[in-house]
Amino acid sequence: MSATTPYLKPGLAKPVAAGDGLDAPYWDGLKEGKLILQRCNGCGKFQWGPEWVCHRCHSLDLGWAETAVEGILYSHQRIWHPVHPALAEQGPYVVALVELPAADGVRIIGNLVGDPMQPLEIGSAVRAVFEHHPDDDPPHTLLQWETV
């Protein structure tokens, strides 16, 4: 799924991969419309955020794997006050914490697109929306969420 109009207003810092390259596969996957998360080659479990060691078995043998773009609304916050000058006209908006059952229940955050006043229920189904910004410097894609 891909967002047709940008959800956030211009003026925010552009997201880039960490300087050490640890999370580069995640950002590269978003550009292709895929959700790619770190996965341990030792125990086979997904984890987020990315680390140099497995959160569960402490293996140093980590890789990356694509996972389903469907999740469950675990928690959310409706934001009314701007946290950055570029967001002065943005509120309200909803930040969602999404649990990914297909990825061992890891949780990942993103904005929930659509009506910011929509009724929300914990446990509701959501799916990823890839918001591409090819003309930004640097080009990037944001992971957003929408209710199903």
Side-chain angles (χ1 to χ4, degrees):
M1 183 116 227
S2 178
T4 55
T5 57
Y7 182 68
L8 293 177
K9 306 284 190 265
L12 294 172
K14 308 299 185 264
V16 295
D20 59 11
L22 179 61
D23 61 352
Y26 166 77
W27 293 106
D28 292 343
L30 293 183
K31 287 179 192 173
E32 297 176 14
K34 299 177 182 176
L35 182 53
I36 298 176
L37 300 178
Q38 197 172 46
R39 189 174 193 181
C40 179
N41 293 322
C43 68
K45 299 293 186 182
F46 282 92
Q47 66 182 22
W48 187 257
E51 296 287 345
W52 295 106
V53 63
C54 176
H55 298 171
R56 290 181 174 89
C57 75
H58 306 282
S59 171
L60 300 175
D61 185 14
L62 296 163
W64 293 82
E66 186 175 357
T67 188
V69 296
E70 293 82 27
I72 297 168
L73 184 63
Y74 184 83
S75 184
H76 65 86
Q77 179 68 46
R78 205 173 316 266
I79 309 296
W80 292 90
H81 302 287
V83 295
H84 186 280
L87 298 174
E89 304 298 321
Q90 185 71 23
Y93 60 95
V94 177
V95 176
L97 180 61
V98 174
E99 186 171 85
L100 302 171
D104 302 310
V106 299
R107 297 180 190 131
I108 193 165
I109 198 165
N111 293 306
L112 189 67
V113 298
D115 179 3
M117 298 307 296
Q118 64 186 299
L120 298 171
E121 186 174 325
I122 301 303
S124 298
V126 295
R127 70 175 161 234
V129 175
F130 300 95
E131 184 179 305
H132 302 285
H133 295 268
D135 298 328
D136 278 358
D137 185 23
H140 62 279
T141 299
L142 297 175
L143 175 64
Q144 313 284 25
W145 298 94
E146 66 183 357
T147 56
V148 178

